Amino acid sequence: MKVTEVVAALIWNGDKFMICQRPAHKARGLLWEFVGGKVEPGETKEQALIRECQEELAVTLSVGDVFMDVIHEYPDLTVHLTLFNATIAEGEPQKIEHNDIKWITPSEISNYEFCPADEEILKKIIEVHQ
């Protein structure tokens, strides 16, 4: 099975980070995730992340280093997810693609149902930010 390259952003605002709720009509609808998406042919991961955040949130990101990457097998696809530390350089996040956007603290993670690929990442966020 081929692996789909996916990028996502870990965006902090003080002690809270951004999570986005997937639209109901998409695969894994209404689950929470980090903003991001697929890397298109010819793009670097950083370019893909900047493009996705412009399309989905109408913000311009400043992309930092990699926080973590994971490979996760869903029934319909296998993803290699690279999560970058990032900050919003320009703009206010808009709900263009997502059902909802929230800023949460690591202690609030358990209140939300996330996409399975994010589980390992969430554990690391809790470890790092206790």
Side-chain angles (χ1 to χ4, degrees):
M1 184 186 272
K2 91 178 193 38
V3 176
T4 303
E5 289 294 331
V6 179
V7 289
L10 177 56
I11 303 170
W12 289 91
N13 183 358
D15 64 346
K16 296 185 174 197
F17 65 95
M18 181 193 293
I19 60 172
C20 299
Q21 190 177 37
R22 291 179 65 82
H25 65 276
K26 286 206 169 167
R28 291 162 282 288
L30 300 181
L31 292 179
W32 292 85
E33 65 179 2
F34 299 96
V35 64
K38 290 187 182 104
V39 180
E40 300 293 343
E43 277 182 325
T44 66
K45 290 182 174 187
E46 290 84 352
Q47 287 168 333
L49 190 55
I50 290 166
R51 175 186 53 75
E52 286 283 351
C53 289
Q54 284 170 332
E55 290 172 4
E56 296 185 359
L57 296 175
V59 297
T60 302
L61 281 195
S62 172
V63 180
D65 56 350
V66 173
F67 179 78
M68 187 175 179
D69 66 334
V70 296
I71 292 176
H72 186 84
E73 287 184 33
Y74 286 108
D76 54 334
L77 82 164
T78 299
V79 295
H80 174 218
L81 170 63
T82 306
L83 184 72
F84 288 90
N85 286 303
T87 52
I88 294 174
E90 233 175 86
E92 276 297 312
Q94 313 289 319
K95 289 189 276 198
I96 297 169
E97 273 279 309
H98 293 93
N99 198 48
D100 202 2
I101 300 169
K102 289 207 181 310
W103 294 91
I104 66 167
T105 63
S107 63
E108 294 172 308
I109 288 171
S110 62
N111 302 341
Y112 297 90
E113 198 177 334
F114 283 86
C115 291
D118 295 332
E119 296 296 333
E120 280 180 67
I121 293 167
L122 295 162
K123 283 184 193 137
K124 183 171 174 186
I125 291 172
I126 291 167
E127 276 169 35
V128 173
H129 293 279
Q130 278 183 357

